[in-house]
């Protein structure tokens, strides 16, 4: 019991610190960091998260993503949705191609690919192992990209587009007791039905795609208008994902990832610049403003992006639709991309 208490204390400390400094998905990253510290400090007392805990975490991530699907926003894209899909796919291709530079550090092609994909950090971390990728590398480099995006976005918005905002709202961190019963009912049904349906229909990575599909459809029911996944459930789900990945770290894997960071930064810079260039394609072919096009193509940090758009008085609907559409493309295509990349095996050894 004492090792688990120590692990929970580390996770709580890191999650609190990351929440205070405003990092995205602080409990997922806090769970990862806390478990990593435990795994490195106490290699002779290893812990393992029960499989049901990780499945719960995956399902929660799927429900959260499914609820982020704004059907009205997607419908409002009109013919522009096709252009947004093309631009999103091109940005993903660029990030994947440049990400192959990571293979020079000994990781497999599938790990290099999902470590560099522009978007869907939480979802990809949750399903990395099922995709045949090294979840430790994927999670670390995905969040490195996310941090780079969050640092550069306000600078670009201010310097290039002349936006001045007091900050962005990244969501609530409290329990809404008035709506809690309905929120819990929605979450329970989406989780149970989603996991069952994912297995019955043989969804790839069923634990995330099943609940995502069910929650997205349930959000169309008027009774569930405005429903949210309770904060405490999101916290527990994200902690499970982070702990699952963090406990797998070893000193050797940490050293290997450390050696990848310079190369990873090159891939991140190229991806950010490519997405910035693609934003001007949207400007040229649509009626959207340069700022909204930039935010729509920004490679990650969806909640910060939406907050920036709202604070600047931009087209939040367009930005949200484009960002969510890209996330759905990533998660829906990931199993098939993995199957293609792993066909015939891989000659690279993961640490």
């Amino acid at each position: 019991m004492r090792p688990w208490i120590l692990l929970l204390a580390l996770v709580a400390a890191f999650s609190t610190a990351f929440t205070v400094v405003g990092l995205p998905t602080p409990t997922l990253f806090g769970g990862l960091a806390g478990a990593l510290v435990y795994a490195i400090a106490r290699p002779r007392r290893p812990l393992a998260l029960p499989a049901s805990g990780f499945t719960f975490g995956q399902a929660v991530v799927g429900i959260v993503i499914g609820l982020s699907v704004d059907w009205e926003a997607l419908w409002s894209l009109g013919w522009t949705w096709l252009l947004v899909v093309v631009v999103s796919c091109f940005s993903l291709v660029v990030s994947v191609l440049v990400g192959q530079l990571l293979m020079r550090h000994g990781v497999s092609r599938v790990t290099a690919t999902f470590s560099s994909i522009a978007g869907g950090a939480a979802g990809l971390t949750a399903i990395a192992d099922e995709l045949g990728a090294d979840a430790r590398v994927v999670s670390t480099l995905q969040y490195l990209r996310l941090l780079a995006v969050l640092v550069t976005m306000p600078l670009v918005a201010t310097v290039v587009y002349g936006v001045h905002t007091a900050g962005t709202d990244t969501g609530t961190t409290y329990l809404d007791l008035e709506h809690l019963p309905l929120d819990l009912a929605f979450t329970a049904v989406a989780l149970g039905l989603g996991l069952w349906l994912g297995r019955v229909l043989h969804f790839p990575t069923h634990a995330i795609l099943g609940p995502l599909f069910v929650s997205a459809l349930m959000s169309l029911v008027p009774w569930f208008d405005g429903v949210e996944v309770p904060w405490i459930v999101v916290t527990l789900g994200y902690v499970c994902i982070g702990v699952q990945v963090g406990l797998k770290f070893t000193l050797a894997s940490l050293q290997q990832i450390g050696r990848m960071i310079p190369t990873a930064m090159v891939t991140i810079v190229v991806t950010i610049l490519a997405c910035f260039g693609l934003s001007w394609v949207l400007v040229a072919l649509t009626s959207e403003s340069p700022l909204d096009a930039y935010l729509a193509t920004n490679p990650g940090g969806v909640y910060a992006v939406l907050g920036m758009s709202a604070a600047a008085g931009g087209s939040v609907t367009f930005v949200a639709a484009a960002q969510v559409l890209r996330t759905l493309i990533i998660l829906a295509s990931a199993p098939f991309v993995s199957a293609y990349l792993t066909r015939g095996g891989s000659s690279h050894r993961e640490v």
Side-chain angles (χ1 to χ4, degrees):
M1 179 62 79
R2 291 181 63 185
W4 284 105
I5 293 175
L6 175 59
L7 173 62
L8 290 175
L10 287 169
V11 169
F14 277 105
S15 297
T16 300
F18 292 152
T19 299
V20 170
V21 299
L23 287 184
T25 56
T27 52
L28 190 155
F29 204 37
L32 189 153
L36 183 155
V37 170
Y38 177 90
I40 298 300
R42 307 192 72 182
R44 296 183 180 179
R45 298 293 298 274
L47 294 175
L49 188 74
S52 58
F54 186 55
T55 299
F56 169 76
Q58 290 179 301
V60 169
V61 172
I63 295 170
V64 171
I65 295 174
L67 265 181
S68 72
V69 177
D70 187 334
W71 295 99
E72 184 177 349
L74 292 176
W75 182 259
S76 70
L77 286 177
W79 69 271
T80 310
W81 75 269
L82 182 59
L83 180 60
V84 171
V85 168
V86 171
V87 169
S88 296
C89 288
F90 191 77
S91 69
L92 296 179
V93 169
V94 170
S95 64
V96 166
L97 289 178
V98 73
Q100 302 311 299
L101 291 172
L102 295 171
M103 292 179 63
R104 61 197 292 257
H105 294 284
V107 299
S108 68
R109 187 177 299 277
V110 71
T111 295
T113 296
F114 293 114
S115 295
S116 57
I117 280 183
L124 288 175
T125 298
I127 60 175
D129 284 333
E130 293 179 55
L131 296 174
D134 188 328
R136 299 166 300 185
V137 178
V138 171
S139 60
T140 303
L141 299 189
Q142 278 288 335
Y143 277 90
L144 182 64
R145 171 189 55 79
L146 195 51
L147 289 175
V149 168
L150 293 177
V151 169
T152 57
M153 181 184 65
L155 295 176
V156 173
T158 300
V159 175
V160 178
Y161 301 108
V163 175
H164 298 281
T165 65
T168 59
D169 179 19
T170 57
T172 60
T173 56
Y174 57 86
L175 282 174
D176 185 345
L177 296 179
E178 181 181 353
H179 298 98
L180 183 59
L182 183 60
D183 291 345
L184 285 174
F186 176 92
T187 303
V189 172
L191 191 150
L193 183 59
L195 289 176
W196 175 80
L197 196 63
R199 291 191 186 97
V200 170
L201 298 181
H202 302 290
F203 282 178
T205 60
H206 74 277
I208 191 170
L209 291 183
L212 188 159
F213 177 74
V214 170
S215 65
L217 290 181
M218 286 177 63
S219 68
L220 291 171
V221 179
W223 193 38
F224 292 125
D225 186 37
V227 76
E228 295 181 352
V229 182
W231 173 75
I232 188 64
V233 176
V234 175
T235 296
L236 291 174
Y238 276 26
V239 163
C240 286
I241 296 295
V243 168
Q244 166 78 3
V245 176
L247 288 176
K248 295 181 178 180
F249 274 87
T250 63
L251 188 58
S253 66
L254 199 59
Q255 291 171 337
Q256 183 196 31
I257 293 172
R259 291 191 292 268
M260 294 182 198
I261 289 179
T263 303
M265 289 306 300
V266 172
T267 69
I268 290 167
V269 170
V270 172
T271 298
I272 291 175
L273 290 176
C275 290
F276 179 76
L278 287 171
S279 70
W280 291 100
V281 174
L282 288 181
V283 172
L285 299 179
T286 70
S287 59
E288 302 299 332
S289 69
L291 175 62
D292 285 329
Y294 163 69
L295 294 175
T297 56
N298 209 40
V302 59
Y303 294 112
V305 165
L306 296 181
M308 177 67 72
S309 179
S315 177
V316 179
T317 297
F318 172 75
V319 174
Q323 287 282 345
V324 170
L325 195 55
R326 183 179 62 197
T327 300
L328 294 177
I329 291 171
I330 291 171
L331 294 180
S333 63
F336 304 102
V337 173
S338 173
Y340 172 77
L341 293 176
T342 56
R343 188 172 54 188
S346 173
S347 60
H348 291 269
R349 178 177 62 87
E350 305 284 9
V351 175

